[in-house]
Amino acid sequence: MKIGDLAKRTGLSAHTIRYYERIGLLPRAGRDASGHRDYDDAILGWIEFLGHLKSTGMPIRDMLLYAALREQGPKTGPERKDLLQAHREIVRARVAELQANLVVLDAKIGSYS
């Protein structure tokens, strides 16, 4: 699929896709006969996963580390698992913090009743 189609399907801009490819978050795309990027459909799942990492606050350096480990294949599974488990703990702590803040907001809103 061409970069414009990929952009439409993922919600990322073509500029962002090129940037992600340049820094190593996305694998280099194959090229068609005209020299244009030609992405395989499998990239969609990877981009969706990156979106989850980004929305949970994973730093780009950790996303890059994960992407580099992924490129090395199955032998890096334990390292990738460790990275995701560490990030999961950060996400859980953030969720707990947000829950506590929600309780405070609910109490304040309730005081106006």
Side-chain angles (χ1 to χ4, degrees):
M1 103 185 66
K2 303 299 177 229
I3 196 166
D5 295 329
L6 184 60
K8 286 177 190 168
R9 291 180 69 177
T10 62
L12 297 176
S13 69
H15 174 77
T16 299
I17 292 167
R18 284 188 213 96
Y19 171 70
Y20 281 1
E21 188 177 314
R22 187 171 57 252
I23 66 170
L25 274 181
L26 295 179
R28 296 266 180 215
R31 300 290 178 149
D32 65 14
S34 302
H36 296 111
R37 285 174 173 85
D38 192 17
Y39 295 92
D40 186 272
D41 284 347
I43 197 77
L44 294 170
W46 175 238
I47 290 174
E48 181 181 2
F49 182 68
L50 288 174
H52 289 294
L53 296 179
K54 182 178 178 185
S55 70
T56 58
M58 181 178 271
I60 193 106
R61 71 179 174 278
D62 290 346
M63 292 169 68
L64 287 167
L65 174 58
Y66 188 92
L69 290 169
R70 179 179 178 261
E71 282 294 311
Q72 294 175 36
K75 68 181 179 184
T76 64
E79 293 166 277
R80 287 183 277 157
K81 181 180 177 183
D82 290 347
L83 184 62
L84 292 178
Q85 286 176 324
H87 182 63
R88 179 178 59 190
E89 292 309 309
I90 292 167
V91 170
R92 283 184 172 157
R94 181 69 179 133
V95 168
E97 180 183 350
L98 288 171
Q99 285 292 105
N101 289 334
L102 186 58
V103 168
V104 171
L105 287 173
D106 287 344
K108 189 62 168 179
I109 290 167
S111 75
Y112 290 110
S113 299

